[in-house]
Amino acid sequence: MKNIMTSLCLALFIISASVTITLNFRPLYYHDISALKIEETSGFSKNIIKKNYDELIDYNQFFHSGKLKLTMPMSREGRIHFEDVKRIFDTIEIACIITLIFSCYLVTTQIRKRDLRFLKISSIITILLPTIAGIMTAVNWEAVFIMFHKIMFRNDYWLFDEALDPVITILPDTFFLQCAVMIILLILSGSLLCILFRSFFHHKFMI
């Protein structure tokens, strides 16, 4: 039972940490401003694009309080959607902190007992989930994107009207696809680390 608890806790930490890291990895978006020609497609200058993107990221931080303040027009529905997005990210960030604390305790306890089975279980979980997500994304990213929004949101406010919420013009689908790929790769990296740590401690305990 302790191994299962430790495995699930560690796997949840890897997943939530991967999402949190991706959310805060601003260089990806900064690169995309030029790579995806966001200035040309949106009609906004690079400075305005970066300022509004940074405001979105700052707004989605767990410790941020106050309203979202974009320099672009924003509809009531658009504001509600971003509030919903913030609640999701807040939940993920809280989960990341909680599972980190519990993982540190549980992992340390299991290693002291020289019981490494939890690392194998965690590595399997963190391989299966991104593999399934990766296959679905590769087959039909648009369908996955729509399905995700229908599952995560109680309304259709994520279907932005560019005329009312021009912020959507600086957030191309390709950027979200790149974020999904980054999350998958980070989770797989976490799985690989579990395997490597298991090998390291197994060798150490055999000496």
Side-chain angles (χ1 to χ4, degrees):
M1 187 66 181
K2 195 73 172 286
N3 264 303
I4 295 174
M5 285 179 57
T6 307
S7 302
L8 290 174
C9 194
L10 184 57
L12 285 172
F13 167 68
I14 292 171
I15 294 167
S16 59
S18 297
V19 174
T20 302
I21 291 170
T22 301
L23 168 67
N24 289 282
F25 191 68
R26 304 186 194 215
L28 174 61
Y29 184 79
Y30 295 162
H31 169 267
D32 277 352
I33 293 175
S34 298
L36 301 181
K37 299 180 179 179
I38 297 177
E39 286 180 273
E40 290 87 336
T41 56
S42 69
F44 293 102
S45 69
K46 187 173 183 178
N47 286 337
I48 291 177
I49 292 170
K50 286 186 67 174
K51 184 176 182 179
N52 283 275
Y53 176 75
D54 286 336
E55 173 62 23
L56 282 172
I57 300 305
D58 291 339
Y59 174 73
N60 282 301
Q61 301 302 315
F62 174 62
F63 297 105
H64 181 278
S65 60
K67 292 185 176 181
L68 177 63
K69 297 177 181 178
L70 300 179
T71 63
M72 301 174 179
M74 185 164 46
S75 68
R76 170 184 168 274
E77 291 78 10
R79 184 174 293 280
I80 291 173
H81 174 68
F82 284 123
E83 289 172 353
D84 290 340
V85 170
K86 177 171 173 57
R87 279 192 285 271
I88 292 172
F89 278 122
D90 282 351
T91 301
I92 293 172
E93 288 161 357
I94 291 171
C96 184
I97 295 170
I98 292 174
T99 53
L100 172 61
I101 295 170
F102 277 97
S103 291
C104 288
Y105 169 73
L106 292 170
V107 168
T108 301
T109 301
Q110 292 303 94
I111 289 176
R112 284 176 179 170
K113 292 180 180 178
R114 298 195 173 193
D115 189 345
L116 304 176
R117 287 174 294 174
F118 73 92
L119 286 170
K120 182 179 180 180
I121 299 172
S122 292
S123 66
I124 292 172
I125 294 173
T126 48
I127 282 177
L128 286 178
L129 290 180
T131 299
I132 294 170
I135 292 172
M136 291 173 63
T137 299
V139 171
N140 194 333
W141 160 246
E142 185 176 350
V144 171
F145 186 77
I146 293 172
M147 180 178 67
F148 169 81
H149 281 78
K150 286 185 175 180
I151 292 172
M152 298 302 295
F153 301 106
R154 298 163 295 176
N155 50 56
D156 61 357
Y157 294 165
W158 57 276
L159 294 169
F160 284 93
D161 182 341
E162 292 183 10
L164 300 176
D165 291 289
V167 66
I168 194 61
T169 63
I170 70 169
L171 298 170
D173 286 350
T174 302
F175 168 67
F176 290 112
L177 172 59
Q178 291 171 348
C179 288
V181 171
M182 182 174 176
I183 291 170
I184 290 170
L185 291 176
L186 286 173
I187 295 173
L188 290 175
S189 297
S191 178
L192 177 60
L193 285 174
C194 288
I195 295 171
L196 292 176
F197 276 121
R198 183 173 183 271
S199 177
F200 169 77
F201 283 111
H202 181 74
H203 177 72
K204 185 178 180 180
F205 293 156
M206 292 295 289
I207 296 176

